[in-house]
Amino acid sequence: MLTTPSQPFTVSRLNRTVRLLLEDEIGLVWLTGELSNLVLHGSGHWYFSLKDPGAQVRCAMFRGNNRRVAFRPQEGQQVLVQARLSLYEPRGDYQLVVESMRLFGEGQLQLQLEQLKQRLQAEGLFDVERKRPLPSHPRQIGIITSPTGAAIRDMLQVLARRAPDLPVVIYPSPVQGAEAAPRLLQALELAWTRNECDVLLIGRGGGALEDLWSFNDERLVRAIAHSPIPIVSAVGHETDVTLSDFAADLRAPTPSAAAELVSPDLGHRQERLARLAQRLERSLRHRLALQQLPLQQLARRLQLQDPQRQLQQRQQGWDRLLLRLQQAGQRLARPAEQRLQLLRQRLLAGSPAHRLAQQRQSLAQLEHGLRLGIQRQTRQGRQQLALAAARLQDLSPLAILARGYALTYDSQGQLLHSSQQVQEGDEVETRLHQGRLRLKVLKRLA
């Protein structure tokens, strides 16, 4: 890009052009150095310099990237960074925009890891086209891990909860140290030889990069990529990444998540079995209906040609003719029967026996009426007699005596009405309601 005195660059344009050249031509670089002039800004961004004995360079690490740094940066630390070359245009300062940062020892491993990753990726070992789908309903699951670690306990707990009837085979192997990678490879080859599992889980719990290094072993990574059995890599926590994760058919963020990914949930399996049973039942009913249709057609044809059915139809026709004949005879005989019935009624009305029966019936009615009249008269007479007896009782002297009165007679038996009818010294007799008294008149009062 040429300039002339008539068309010079402005400072802003120059800085912008230099920034674009640096970013486009050089791109990402790996750099190691010592932290200095560290500023942890309140905005969340980090500003610092990387230096060695001969030079230094300004760096900026923005908040979105520094959140992934696993340690707290301090002055004087040796670090390995991956950065993008750039230029701060307002001051024209050449700088690095850091995207990742690790301590230098871990950074060396990370650098080796990145180089191996790029080489294997160039061979196509990590291509998506190589990935195979996991079986939706595995018959048996294999786990390659340490038999005493926390990862195996987590995976077995998840499998026991989600699919308690799913068999599990454990291929034990150390997962850390110099012997881990060869032993992991042996366990993997044993699983291939026995060929008893539909899917394999390989992994361990979390740890530092050195702890997980066996899962970056090139031989193990190549074996995982070419495994005849689908493999799920479950190494460390979600933030831990190894080459085994890239080579496996599926990468799980944790061992527990790997167990969930390969095990069908019991409730979902039951629902799926219920749906399959319904589909099977509908299919069987449909096929049965299709098979029954020709049979029904043959059965209808057989019914139409059945001699017994034809005989039944003829018998039914004869029954209808006989019924019509009977109905016609009844219609012809009905007037004669009505006339005969009328004559019988007239003869019966003029018969002596009929008249005698009528007279007897009338006599019985009169006799019944007479009996009722006598009973009614007798009942009325008894009622009148009772009333008269009651009145007579009320007028009887005895009734008066019952109320406390008495009757006194002289010696001749004459009823006394006045004290003038007796003399002093006469004997009299007094009748009470109950009993009699014989008295002597001692003194006559007025």
Side-chain angles (χ1 to χ4, degrees):
M1 183 177 294
L2 299 177
T3 61
T4 63
S6 60
Q7 293 181 339
F9 270 168
T10 63
V11 176
S12 297
R13 184 181 177 189
L14 175 63
N15 286 350
R16 185 179 306 109
T17 302
V18 172
R19 179 179 65 81
L20 294 176
L21 287 174
L22 290 174
E23 293 178 353
D24 295 341
E25 296 298 328
I26 299 179
L28 290 173
V29 295
W30 287 97
L31 185 69
T32 182
E34 178 185 338
L35 286 175
S36 66
N37 301 320
L38 177 64
V39 176
L40 306 180
H41 199 275
S43 62
H45 307 317
W46 296 351
Y47 301 99
F48 54 91
S49 297
L50 283 179
K51 67 179 182 177
D52 60 18
Q56 67 176 4
V57 61
R58 293 180 180 273
C59 302
M61 191 172 190
F62 298 114
R63 180 175 55 188
N65 292 323
N66 62 37
R67 286 177 177 176
R68 295 192 295 269
V69 177
F71 65 96
R72 182 76 172 178
Q74 296 179 2
E75 292 276 343
Q77 287 179 329
Q78 289 289 330
V79 296
L80 175 69
V81 300
Q82 185 182 37
R84 177 168 44 85
L85 203 58
S86 184
L87 184 97
Y88 184 59
E89 295 182 22
R91 290 201 303 265
D93 290 340
Y94 151 74
Q95 67 175 7
L96 294 176
V97 177
V98 179
E99 295 190 357
S100 66
M101 177 188 295
R102 290 175 176 82
L103 292 174
F104 178 67
E106 184 179 350
Q108 290 286 62
L109 291 177
Q110 187 65 38
L111 183 59
Q112 296 177 24
L113 177 62
E114 186 64 27
Q115 292 173 350
L116 179 58
K117 175 185 175 183
Q118 292 177 1
R119 181 159 53 87
L120 296 179
Q121 190 171 15
E123 295 180 18
L125 253 64
F126 305 153
D127 290 349
V128 178
E129 292 77 10
R130 299 176 56 91
K131 311 296 183 181
R132 291 161 298 180
L134 302 182
S136 58
H137 294 85
R139 292 169 298 177
Q140 189 159 268
I141 293 176
I143 301 178
I144 302 174
T145 188
S146 171
T148 59
I152 186 63
R153 293 196 300 271
D154 295 341
M155 288 189 282
L156 291 179
Q157 287 177 358
V158 172
L159 292 174
R161 171 174 54 83
R162 290 176 56 85
D165 58 336
L166 183 61
V168 178
V169 178
I170 299 175
Y171 303 96
S173 171
V175 293
Q176 184 173 338
E179 297 182 359
R183 294 284 297 276
L184 287 169
L185 184 58
Q186 292 176 4
L188 188 59
E189 292 174 347
L190 177 62
W192 298 343
T193 302
R194 292 168 59 172
N195 194 25
E196 57 190 346
C197 299
D198 300 323
V199 64
L200 297 175
L201 307 183
I202 184 169
R204 53 155 292 162
L209 182 60
E210 294 86 350
D211 300 331
L212 308 179
W213 192 251
S214 58
F215 291 91
N216 295 317
D217 183 83
E218 183 175 355
R219 292 175 302 167
L220 179 62
V221 173
R222 290 184 179 276
I224 292 175
H226 294 93
S227 172
I229 302 175
I231 293 181
V232 177
S233 177
V235 181
H237 303 296
E238 187 171 1
T239 56
D240 298 323
V241 180
T242 65
L243 297 184
S244 297
D245 297 332
F246 296 103
D249 295 287
L250 182 67
R251 185 238 174 182
T254 62
S256 299
E260 290 190 1
L261 290 172
V262 300
S263 60
D265 184 67
L266 182 60
H268 294 165
R269 285 194 297 165
Q270 291 175 345
E271 293 178 1
R272 184 174 181 273
L273 288 177
R275 291 195 299 270
L276 291 176
Q278 292 177 355
R279 290 176 56 186
L280 179 60
E281 182 179 0
R282 287 196 299 267
S283 177
L284 290 176
R285 286 181 178 178
H286 180 66
R287 293 189 62 182
L288 183 59
L290 293 178
Q291 295 294 332
Q292 287 179 342
L293 184 60
L295 294 177
Q296 292 174 354
Q297 293 175 351
L298 292 175
R300 284 196 294 269
R301 291 178 59 187
L302 181 60
Q303 289 176 357
L304 294 175
Q305 299 176 3
D306 186 9
Q308 183 178 1
R309 181 178 178 86
Q310 295 179 2
L311 180 59
Q312 290 175 350
Q313 292 179 353
R314 290 176 180 266
Q315 288 178 347
Q316 186 175 1
W318 294 338
D319 291 339
R320 286 198 298 269
L321 291 175
L322 181 58
L323 180 60
R324 291 175 59 186
L325 181 60
Q326 291 175 351
Q327 291 175 349
Q330 290 176 358
R331 285 196 301 271
L332 293 175
R334 189 175 299 114
E337 290 179 355
Q338 291 177 352
R339 184 176 179 184
L340 180 60
Q341 184 66 25
L342 181 60
L343 292 175
R344 285 177 180 174
Q345 292 177 357
R346 291 175 61 184
L347 181 60
L348 183 61
S351 171
H354 180 68
R355 295 182 63 185
L356 181 59
Q358 289 180 342
Q359 294 296 329
R360 286 178 179 175
Q361 184 178 3
S362 300
L363 181 59
Q365 291 177 352
L366 291 174
E367 182 180 359
H368 179 68
L370 179 60
R371 188 180 300 110
L372 292 178
I374 293 173
Q375 291 176 357
R376 185 169 53 254
Q377 291 293 334
T378 302
R379 187 166 52 253
Q380 291 178 356
R382 287 178 179 174
Q383 291 176 353
Q384 293 176 359
L385 179 60
L387 291 174
R391 292 175 183 168
L392 182 61
Q393 180 66 25
D394 292 339
L395 298 176
S396 172
L398 296 178
I400 297 174
L401 294 179
R403 294 197 295 269
Y405 293 95
L407 297 176
T408 304
Y409 299 89
D410 59 11
S411 58
Q412 302 299 322
Q414 297 295 323
L415 182 63
L416 297 178
H417 298 284
S418 171
S419 60
Q420 299 300 325
Q421 293 179 259
V422 295
Q423 300 295 328
E424 294 182 357
D426 291 346
E427 290 184 357
V428 297
E429 183 177 324
T430 301
R431 182 178 179 180
L432 303 174
H433 176 61
Q434 294 180 351
R436 295 172 180 269
L437 298 175
R438 186 173 294 280
L439 305 174
K440 185 174 184 179
V441 178
L442 298 178
K443 185 177 180 179
R444 188 176 63 181
L445 301 176

